[in-house]
Amino acid sequence: MTEPLRLAAEVARRDRVMANLIKRTSPFHLPRRSTGHFAALAESILHQQLAGAAARAIHGRFVALFDGDLSPEAVLAVPPRKLRAAGLSGRKVASIRDLAAKVVDGTVPLDRIGRLADEDVITRLSVVRGIGRWTAEMFLIFQLRRLDVWPVGDYGIRKGYALAYGLRKLPTPKQLEGEGERFRPYRTVAAWYCWQAVRERRKLRQ
């Protein structure tokens, strides 16, 4: 049995509803990261509060400014007006430059962040302007591939949990925090299947 299948089987063993959801949806899968930590965080900032196509277009123009050398030092060397010309708002320019500055001065130690505990990663990243707990949790899941992350503030997780368990109201983050305890240390897997429950509902409505 492959590792993703083993993890899904372990989560299924602990909960009948989750077991049924796992049976009828896609196999658990976290994509391999294709960019470095700094580039991933910069992309997360750029995508905030933007529709997919618009975010991708702006991100493409942003990356093109660096000709394959997207680094904190390179970002700080580019005048803010050039970043604005690529489509970044003033707020996002400030956020990305703040991220770059804090990586350079060591406040955000991206070179060794993979060795930090989950909460320490969240604490370090959250000092950056424009990065909150949710962005840090997505970084933990999709960039560091941590297996015990439970983003209770994520709307998709709350909605998916309500759909899977037949709840009339979305659980509050506090309620969801307690519900995730039975899935430790594989709460990322349970979270991933909550997202699958939302996708399943969308497909049924098409």
Side-chain angles (χ1 to χ4, degrees):
M1 181 181 293
T2 65
E3 183 66 3
L5 288 177
R6 183 189 71 78
L7 295 174
E10 179 60 29
V11 169
R13 185 183 67 79
R14 301 180 185 194
D15 186 275
R16 179 179 56 82
V17 172
M18 193 62 70
N20 289 333
L21 178 61
I22 288 169
K23 283 182 182 177
R24 66 178 188 263
T25 56
S26 303
F28 172 65
H29 171 68
L30 290 179
R32 291 288 176 186
R33 68 189 188 204
S34 58
T35 61
H37 295 339
F38 178 76
L41 288 168
E43 184 174 3
S44 294
I45 291 171
L46 288 176
H47 277 254
Q48 290 170 2
Q49 300 176 325
L50 283 176
R56 287 191 295 272
I58 292 172
H59 179 251
R61 292 195 295 271
F62 169 74
V63 171
L65 291 174
F66 303 97
D67 194 26
D69 182 30
L70 176 55
S71 66
E73 295 81 3
V75 167
L76 293 175
V78 171
R81 59 180 175 76
K82 279 197 171 184
L83 298 176
R84 291 296 303 273
L88 280 69
S89 67
R91 182 173 297 179
K92 290 186 179 180
V93 169
S95 294
I96 286 180
R97 287 180 59 82
D98 189 47
L99 170 64
K102 285 184 167 66
V103 172
V104 169
D105 71 16
T107 302
V108 178
L110 288 187
D111 58 336
R112 57 183 179 84
I113 202 164
R115 299 198 292 271
L116 300 181
D118 292 355
E119 284 300 322
D120 291 336
V121 171
I122 292 170
T123 298
R124 291 295 188 118
L125 293 181
S126 295
V127 302
V128 176
R129 178 174 179 167
I131 294 182
R133 185 176 185 90
W134 181 86
T135 300
E137 287 173 333
M138 296 304 107
F139 180 84
L140 283 169
I141 292 174
F142 295 106
Q143 190 69 11
L144 298 184
R145 301 170 65 80
R146 297 288 175 87
L147 292 174
D148 196 32
V149 185
W150 187 233
V152 296
D154 183 87
Y155 178 81
I157 301 294
R158 295 171 62 206
K159 179 68 173 177
Y161 191 92
L163 288 171
Y165 289 84
L167 306 180
R168 287 185 292 178
K169 293 183 178 180
L170 298 188
T172 65
K174 185 175 181 180
Q175 290 169 337
L176 200 56
E177 188 70 54
E179 295 294 338
E181 288 301 309
R182 63 188 180 277
F183 301 120
R184 284 184 182 271
Y186 305 120
R187 290 180 298 171
T188 294
V189 182
W192 193 88
Y193 277 105
C194 288
W195 284 321
Q196 294 304 304
V198 174
R199 293 189 181 98
E200 179 184 53
R201 173 57 63 90
R202 287 174 182 162
K203 287 180 181 178
L204 290 174
R205 288 179 172 176
Q206 289 177 352

